[in-house]
Short mmCIF file of all heavy atoms in Angstrom, two decimals:
data_model
loop_
_atom_site.label_atom_id
_atom_site.label_comp_id
_atom_site.label_asym_id
_atom_site.label_seq_id
_atom_site.Cartn_x
_atom_site.Cartn_y
_atom_site.Cartn_z
N VAL B 1 -27.33 -26.25 -6.11
CA VAL B 1 -27.93 -26.02 -7.37
C VAL B 1 -27.14 -26.75 -8.53
O VAL B 1 -27.67 -27.37 -9.37
CB VAL B 1 -28.07 -24.53 -7.71
CG1 VAL B 1 -28.42 -24.28 -9.21
CG2 VAL B 1 -29.13 -23.92 -6.86
N TYR B 2 -25.74 -26.64 -8.43
CA TYR B 2 -24.98 -27.18 -9.51
C TYR B 2 -24.61 -28.61 -9.27
O TYR B 2 -24.30 -29.31 -10.33
CB TYR B 2 -23.61 -26.38 -9.65
CG TYR B 2 -23.88 -25.04 -10.14
CD1 TYR B 2 -23.19 -23.90 -9.55
CD2 TYR B 2 -24.62 -24.77 -11.28
CE1 TYR B 2 -23.46 -22.57 -10.06
CE2 TYR B 2 -24.84 -23.48 -11.76
CZ TYR B 2 -24.22 -22.38 -11.13
OH TYR B 2 -24.39 -21.21 -11.68
N GLY B 3 -24.74 -29.17 -8.09
CA GLY B 3 -24.61 -30.55 -7.86
C GLY B 3 -23.08 -30.96 -7.83
O GLY B 3 -22.19 -30.07 -7.90
N ASN B 4 -22.76 -32.27 -7.85
CA ASN B 4 -21.46 -32.70 -7.72
C ASN B 4 -20.79 -33.34 -8.99
O ASN B 4 -19.75 -34.03 -8.97
CB ASN B 4 -21.35 -33.76 -6.64
CG ASN B 4 -21.59 -33.21 -5.25
OD1 ASN B 4 -20.96 -32.20 -4.91
ND2 ASN B 4 -22.45 -33.89 -4.44
N SER B 5 -21.44 -33.09 -10.11
CA SER B 5 -20.87 -33.59 -11.37
C SER B 5 -19.67 -32.76 -11.77
O SER B 5 -19.38 -31.68 -11.09
CB SER B 5 -21.89 -33.41 -12.50
OG SER B 5 -22.29 -32.07 -12.75
N VAL B 6 -18.87 -33.26 -12.72
CA VAL B 6 -17.65 -32.50 -13.12
C VAL B 6 -18.07 -31.05 -13.60
O VAL B 6 -17.51 -30.11 -13.22
CB VAL B 6 -16.94 -33.25 -14.23
CG1 VAL B 6 -15.76 -32.45 -14.75
CG2 VAL B 6 -16.46 -34.64 -13.75
N LEU B 7 -19.02 -31.02 -14.48
CA LEU B 7 -19.50 -29.71 -15.00
C LEU B 7 -20.07 -28.83 -13.82
O LEU B 7 -19.81 -27.58 -13.87
CB LEU B 7 -20.58 -29.89 -16.07
CG LEU B 7 -21.01 -28.65 -16.81
CD1 LEU B 7 -19.86 -28.02 -17.56
CD2 LEU B 7 -22.12 -28.97 -17.80
N GLY B 8 -20.72 -29.46 -12.94
CA GLY B 8 -21.33 -28.74 -11.87
C GLY B 8 -20.20 -28.13 -11.00
O GLY B 8 -20.29 -26.97 -10.51
N ASN B 9 -19.14 -28.86 -10.77
CA ASN B 9 -18.05 -28.34 -9.99
C ASN B 9 -17.33 -27.19 -10.65
O ASN B 9 -16.85 -26.26 -10.04
CB ASN B 9 -17.01 -29.51 -9.72
CG ASN B 9 -17.47 -30.47 -8.60
OD1 ASN B 9 -18.14 -29.99 -7.62
ND2 ASN B 9 -17.17 -31.72 -8.74
N VAL B 10 -17.19 -27.32 -11.99
CA VAL B 10 -16.65 -26.27 -12.80
C VAL B 10 -17.48 -24.91 -12.60
O VAL B 10 -16.91 -23.93 -12.35
CB VAL B 10 -16.53 -26.59 -14.32
CG1 VAL B 10 -16.17 -25.34 -15.17
CG2 VAL B 10 -15.55 -27.71 -14.48
N PHE B 11 -18.79 -25.05 -12.75
CA PHE B 11 -19.66 -23.89 -12.49
C PHE B 11 -19.57 -23.35 -11.17
O PHE B 11 -19.53 -22.08 -10.95
CB PHE B 11 -21.10 -24.27 -12.81
CG PHE B 11 -21.39 -24.33 -14.24
CD1 PHE B 11 -22.33 -25.38 -14.71
CD2 PHE B 11 -20.96 -23.47 -15.26
CE1 PHE B 11 -22.67 -25.44 -16.14
CE2 PHE B 11 -21.28 -23.50 -16.54
CZ PHE B 11 -22.11 -24.54 -16.98
N PHE B 12 -19.47 -24.20 -10.12
CA PHE B 12 -19.34 -23.82 -8.75
C PHE B 12 -18.07 -23.00 -8.56
O PHE B 12 -18.10 -21.92 -7.87
CB PHE B 12 -19.32 -25.06 -7.83
CG PHE B 12 -19.07 -24.64 -6.41
CD1 PHE B 12 -20.06 -24.07 -5.63
CD2 PHE B 12 -17.82 -24.98 -5.79
CE1 PHE B 12 -19.78 -23.68 -4.28
CE2 PHE B 12 -17.61 -24.63 -4.44
CZ PHE B 12 -18.52 -24.06 -3.71
N TYR B 13 -16.91 -23.44 -9.10
CA TYR B 13 -15.63 -22.79 -8.77
C TYR B 13 -15.57 -21.45 -9.60
O TYR B 13 -14.97 -20.52 -9.08
CB TYR B 13 -14.45 -23.70 -9.11
CG TYR B 13 -14.26 -24.74 -8.03
CD1 TYR B 13 -14.48 -26.07 -8.26
CD2 TYR B 13 -13.83 -24.37 -6.74
CE1 TYR B 13 -14.24 -27.05 -7.26
CE2 TYR B 13 -13.57 -25.24 -5.80
CZ TYR B 13 -13.85 -26.62 -5.96
OH TYR B 13 -13.67 -27.50 -5.02
N ILE B 14 -16.20 -21.39 -10.76
CA ILE B 14 -16.25 -20.17 -11.50
C ILE B 14 -17.08 -19.12 -10.66
O ILE B 14 -16.75 -17.96 -10.51
CB ILE B 14 -16.90 -20.33 -12.86
CG1 ILE B 14 -15.98 -21.12 -13.78
CG2 ILE B 14 -17.26 -18.97 -13.50
CD1 ILE B 14 -16.54 -21.49 -15.11
N PHE B 15 -18.23 -19.62 -10.05
CA PHE B 15 -19.09 -18.84 -9.28
C PHE B 15 -18.34 -18.26 -8.02
O PHE B 15 -18.42 -17.09 -7.71
CB PHE B 15 -20.27 -19.62 -8.82
CG PHE B 15 -21.27 -18.82 -7.99
CD1 PHE B 15 -22.19 -18.03 -8.58
CD2 PHE B 15 -21.26 -18.89 -6.56
CE1 PHE B 15 -23.14 -17.33 -7.87
CE2 PHE B 15 -22.15 -18.15 -5.85
CZ PHE B 15 -23.08 -17.35 -6.43
N GLN B 16 -17.56 -19.11 -7.34
CA GLN B 16 -16.81 -18.74 -6.20
C GLN B 16 -15.76 -17.75 -6.57
O GLN B 16 -15.48 -16.74 -5.77
CB GLN B 16 -16.16 -19.96 -5.48
CG GLN B 16 -17.15 -20.79 -4.73
CD GLN B 16 -17.79 -20.03 -3.60
OE1 GLN B 16 -18.86 -19.44 -3.70
NE2 GLN B 16 -17.09 -19.98 -2.47
N LEU B 17 -15.08 -17.91 -7.72
CA LEU B 17 -14.08 -17.01 -8.20
C LEU B 17 -14.69 -15.56 -8.45
O LEU B 17 -14.12 -14.61 -8.04
CB LEU B 17 -13.42 -17.54 -9.43
CG LEU B 17 -12.31 -16.66 -10.12
CD1 LEU B 17 -11.08 -16.70 -9.13
CD2 LEU B 17 -11.93 -17.25 -11.46
N ALA B 18 -15.91 -15.58 -9.08
CA ALA B 18 -16.51 -14.33 -9.39
C ALA B 18 -16.92 -13.63 -8.05
O ALA B 18 -16.81 -12.38 -8.02
CB ALA B 18 -17.85 -14.60 -10.24
N THR B 19 -17.38 -14.41 -7.09
CA THR B 19 -17.74 -13.81 -5.80
C THR B 19 -16.54 -13.17 -5.09
O THR B 19 -16.58 -12.04 -4.49
CB THR B 19 -18.38 -14.85 -4.90
OG1 THR B 19 -19.48 -15.45 -5.52
CG2 THR B 19 -18.85 -14.22 -3.60
N ALA B 20 -15.42 -13.95 -5.09
CA ALA B 20 -14.16 -13.31 -4.51
C ALA B 20 -13.68 -12.14 -5.22
O ALA B 20 -13.32 -11.17 -4.63
CB ALA B 20 -13.06 -14.49 -4.57
N PHE B 21 -13.82 -12.08 -6.55
CA PHE B 21 -13.36 -10.92 -7.32
C PHE B 21 -14.21 -9.69 -6.92
O PHE B 21 -13.73 -8.60 -6.71
CB PHE B 21 -13.48 -11.19 -8.88
CG PHE B 21 -12.26 -11.87 -9.46
CD1 PHE B 21 -12.35 -12.49 -10.63
CD2 PHE B 21 -11.14 -11.93 -8.73
CE1 PHE B 21 -11.27 -13.17 -11.19
CE2 PHE B 21 -10.07 -12.60 -9.25
CZ PHE B 21 -10.13 -13.23 -10.52
N ILE B 22 -15.55 -9.89 -6.90
CA ILE B 22 -16.44 -8.72 -6.71
C ILE B 22 -16.32 -8.18 -5.31
O ILE B 22 -16.33 -6.96 -5.02
CB ILE B 22 -17.97 -9.08 -6.92
CG1 ILE B 22 -18.79 -7.86 -7.02
CG2 ILE B 22 -18.49 -10.01 -5.84
CD1 ILE B 22 -18.66 -6.99 -8.19
N LEU B 23 -16.03 -9.05 -4.30
CA LEU B 23 -15.77 -8.60 -2.94
C LEU B 23 -14.47 -7.83 -2.93
O LEU B 23 -14.38 -6.80 -2.11
CB LEU B 23 -15.75 -9.78 -1.95
CG LEU B 23 -17.13 -10.44 -1.70
CD1 LEU B 23 -16.87 -11.72 -0.93
CD2 LEU B 23 -17.97 -9.43 -0.82
N ALA B 24 -13.49 -8.29 -3.60
CA ALA B 24 -12.19 -7.54 -3.59
C ALA B 24 -12.24 -6.22 -4.22
O ALA B 24 -11.62 -5.27 -3.74
CB ALA B 24 -11.10 -8.45 -4.26
N VAL B 25 -13.04 -6.05 -5.29
CA VAL B 25 -13.08 -4.75 -6.03
C VAL B 25 -14.25 -3.86 -5.61
O VAL B 25 -14.32 -2.72 -6.09
CB VAL B 25 -13.08 -5.05 -7.52
CG1 VAL B 25 -11.89 -5.85 -8.01
CG2 VAL B 25 -14.42 -5.65 -7.99
N ALA B 26 -15.10 -4.39 -4.72
CA ALA B 26 -16.26 -3.61 -4.29
C ALA B 26 -15.80 -2.26 -3.66
O ALA B 26 -16.58 -1.26 -3.64
CB ALA B 26 -17.14 -4.34 -3.29
N ALA B 27 -14.62 -2.23 -3.16
CA ALA B 27 -14.05 -1.02 -2.52
C ALA B 27 -13.98 0.12 -3.50
O ALA B 27 -13.89 1.27 -3.05
CB ALA B 27 -12.66 -1.32 -2.00
N ASN B 28 -13.95 -0.18 -4.79
CA ASN B 28 -13.77 0.87 -5.78
C ASN B 28 -14.89 1.92 -5.75
O ASN B 28 -14.78 3.05 -6.21
CB ASN B 28 -13.52 0.28 -7.17
CG ASN B 28 -12.81 1.26 -8.09
OD1 ASN B 28 -11.64 1.43 -7.93
ND2 ASN B 28 -13.57 2.05 -8.90
N THR B 29 -16.15 1.52 -5.29
CA THR B 29 -17.16 2.48 -5.18
C THR B 29 -16.80 3.66 -4.31
O THR B 29 -17.06 4.84 -4.55
CB THR B 29 -18.43 1.85 -4.62
OG1 THR B 29 -18.94 0.82 -5.52
CG2 THR B 29 -19.58 2.80 -4.39
N GLY B 30 -16.14 3.38 -3.22
CA GLY B 30 -15.59 4.37 -2.28
C GLY B 30 -14.53 5.28 -3.03
O GLY B 30 -14.56 6.51 -2.91
N PHE B 31 -13.71 4.65 -3.84
CA PHE B 31 -12.65 5.47 -4.48
C PHE B 31 -13.25 6.34 -5.59
O PHE B 31 -12.59 7.41 -5.91
CB PHE B 31 -11.67 4.50 -5.16
CG PHE B 31 -10.53 4.03 -4.24
CD1 PHE B 31 -10.60 2.71 -3.72
CD2 PHE B 31 -9.51 4.80 -3.91
CE1 PHE B 31 -9.65 2.24 -2.87
CE2 PHE B 31 -8.55 4.33 -3.03
CZ PHE B 31 -8.62 3.08 -2.51
N SER B 32 -14.48 6.03 -6.06
CA SER B 32 -15.09 6.88 -7.03
C SER B 32 -15.89 8.00 -6.33
O SER B 32 -15.81 9.13 -6.81
CB SER B 32 -16.11 6.06 -7.86
OG SER B 32 -15.49 4.93 -8.43
N ALA B 33 -16.67 7.69 -5.23
CA ALA B 33 -17.51 8.66 -4.61
C ALA B 33 -16.80 9.59 -3.66
O ALA B 33 -17.15 10.78 -3.54
CB ALA B 33 -18.67 7.94 -3.96
N PHE B 34 -15.87 9.12 -2.96
CA PHE B 34 -15.11 9.90 -1.90
C PHE B 34 -14.38 11.20 -2.48
O PHE B 34 -14.67 12.22 -1.90
CB PHE B 34 -14.05 9.05 -1.13
CG PHE B 34 -13.34 9.76 0.01
CD1 PHE B 34 -13.82 9.60 1.27
CD2 PHE B 34 -12.23 10.59 -0.22
CE1 PHE B 34 -13.10 10.24 2.34
CE2 PHE B 34 -11.51 11.17 0.73
CZ PHE B 34 -11.96 11.07 2.10
N PRO B 35 -13.74 11.04 -3.55
CA PRO B 35 -13.09 12.33 -4.08
C PRO B 35 -14.11 13.36 -4.52
O PRO B 35 -13.86 14.51 -4.39
CB PRO B 35 -12.25 11.72 -5.31
CG PRO B 35 -12.03 10.29 -4.93
CD PRO B 35 -13.26 9.87 -4.24
N MET B 36 -15.19 12.87 -5.06
CA MET B 36 -16.20 13.90 -5.58
C MET B 36 -16.97 14.57 -4.32
O MET B 36 -17.21 15.74 -4.37
CB MET B 36 -17.24 13.15 -6.34
CG MET B 36 -18.14 14.03 -7.28
SD MET B 36 -17.04 14.79 -8.58
CE MET B 36 -17.71 16.51 -8.51
N LEU B 37 -17.24 13.81 -3.27
CA LEU B 37 -17.84 14.40 -2.09
C LEU B 37 -16.79 15.34 -1.48
O LEU B 37 -17.16 16.44 -1.01
CB LEU B 37 -18.20 13.24 -1.22
CG LEU B 37 -18.79 13.68 0.17
CD1 LEU B 37 -20.01 14.61 0.07
CD2 LEU B 37 -19.06 12.51 1.11
N SER B 38 -15.54 14.98 -1.38
CA SER B 38 -14.53 15.85 -0.84
C SER B 38 -14.42 17.17 -1.60
O SER B 38 -14.25 18.24 -1.07
CB SER B 38 -13.08 15.12 -0.94
OG SER B 38 -13.18 14.01 -0.16
N PHE B 39 -14.59 17.02 -2.97
CA PHE B 39 -14.49 18.23 -3.80
C PHE B 39 -15.66 19.13 -3.49
O PHE B 39 -15.45 20.38 -3.34
CB PHE B 39 -14.63 17.80 -5.28
CG PHE B 39 -14.86 18.96 -6.25
CD1 PHE B 39 -13.81 19.71 -6.74
CD2 PHE B 39 -16.19 19.26 -6.65
CE1 PHE B 39 -14.02 20.75 -7.57
CE2 PHE B 39 -16.41 20.28 -7.54
CZ PHE B 39 -15.38 21.07 -8.01
N ASN B 40 -16.86 18.64 -3.30
CA ASN B 40 -17.98 19.47 -3.04
C ASN B 40 -17.86 20.11 -1.67
O ASN B 40 -18.28 21.29 -1.46
CB ASN B 40 -19.30 18.66 -3.08
CG ASN B 40 -19.78 18.46 -4.50
OD1 ASN B 40 -20.33 19.36 -5.12
ND2 ASN B 40 -19.63 17.27 -5.10
N MET B 41 -17.35 19.39 -0.69
CA MET B 41 -17.17 19.96 0.63
C MET B 41 -16.03 20.93 0.63
O MET B 41 -16.10 22.00 1.29
CB MET B 41 -16.93 18.87 1.73
CG MET B 41 -18.07 17.89 1.81
SD MET B 41 -17.90 16.67 3.15
CE MET B 41 -18.11 17.74 4.58
N ALA B 42 -15.01 20.74 -0.07
CA ALA B 42 -13.91 21.68 -0.23
C ALA B 42 -14.37 23.05 -0.89
O ALA B 42 -13.85 24.14 -0.59
CB ALA B 42 -12.78 21.09 -0.99
N LYS B 43 -15.26 22.79 -1.87
CA LYS B 43 -15.80 23.99 -2.66
C LYS B 43 -16.57 24.87 -1.60
O LYS B 43 -16.56 26.09 -1.77
CB LYS B 43 -16.78 23.47 -3.70
CG LYS B 43 -17.17 24.60 -4.69
CD LYS B 43 -17.82 23.94 -5.91
CE LYS B 43 -19.02 23.15 -5.54
NZ LYS B 43 -19.77 22.62 -6.71
N ASN B 44 -17.17 24.28 -0.63
CA ASN B 44 -17.85 25.03 0.45
C ASN B 44 -16.97 25.42 1.55
O ASN B 44 -17.49 25.92 2.67
CB ASN B 44 -19.10 24.28 0.92
CG ASN B 44 -20.14 24.17 -0.14
OD1 ASN B 44 -20.20 24.98 -1.05
ND2 ASN B 44 -20.95 23.14 -0.07
N LYS B 45 -15.71 25.20 1.45
CA LYS B 45 -14.68 25.52 2.43
C LYS B 45 -14.70 24.79 3.71
O LYS B 45 -14.30 25.24 4.76
CB LYS B 45 -14.69 27.05 2.75
CG LYS B 45 -14.52 27.91 1.49
CD LYS B 45 -14.39 29.44 1.83
CE LYS B 45 -14.48 30.25 0.60
NZ LYS B 45 -13.40 29.92 -0.37
N TYR B 46 -15.31 23.60 3.71
CA TYR B 46 -15.27 22.70 4.89
C TYR B 46 -14.18 21.68 4.86
O TYR B 46 -14.00 20.94 5.81
CB TYR B 46 -16.69 21.97 5.04
CG TYR B 46 -17.80 22.92 5.42
CD1 TYR B 46 -18.77 23.20 4.51
CD2 TYR B 46 -17.79 23.49 6.71
CE1 TYR B 46 -19.88 24.06 4.88
CE2 TYR B 46 -18.89 24.36 7.05
CZ TYR B 46 -19.89 24.61 6.23
OH TYR B 46 -20.87 25.49 6.59
N MET B 47 -13.51 21.60 3.71
CA MET B 47 -12.32 20.70 3.64
C MET B 47 -11.24 21.51 2.90
O MET B 47 -11.57 22.48 2.14
CB MET B 47 -12.63 19.40 2.84
CG MET B 47 -13.52 18.41 3.67
SD MET B 47 -13.80 16.89 2.93
CE MET B 47 -12.13 16.11 3.00
N PRO B 48 -9.94 21.17 3.11
CA PRO B 48 -8.90 21.95 2.44
C PRO B 48 -9.10 22.02 0.89
O PRO B 48 -9.51 21.02 0.26
CB PRO B 48 -7.62 21.14 2.76
CG PRO B 48 -7.99 20.42 4.06
CD PRO B 48 -9.46 20.12 3.92
#
């Protein structure tokens, strides 16, 4: 889509950088949801 022009290459590398970033931080969904689920299960005495 961006082609091989100088500007196209700039857009491409920004795009790749954004993709690498999102993949690296996607794990944070687990860090947000796991503690809340653990809390609810502990409230029902199924977890410490």
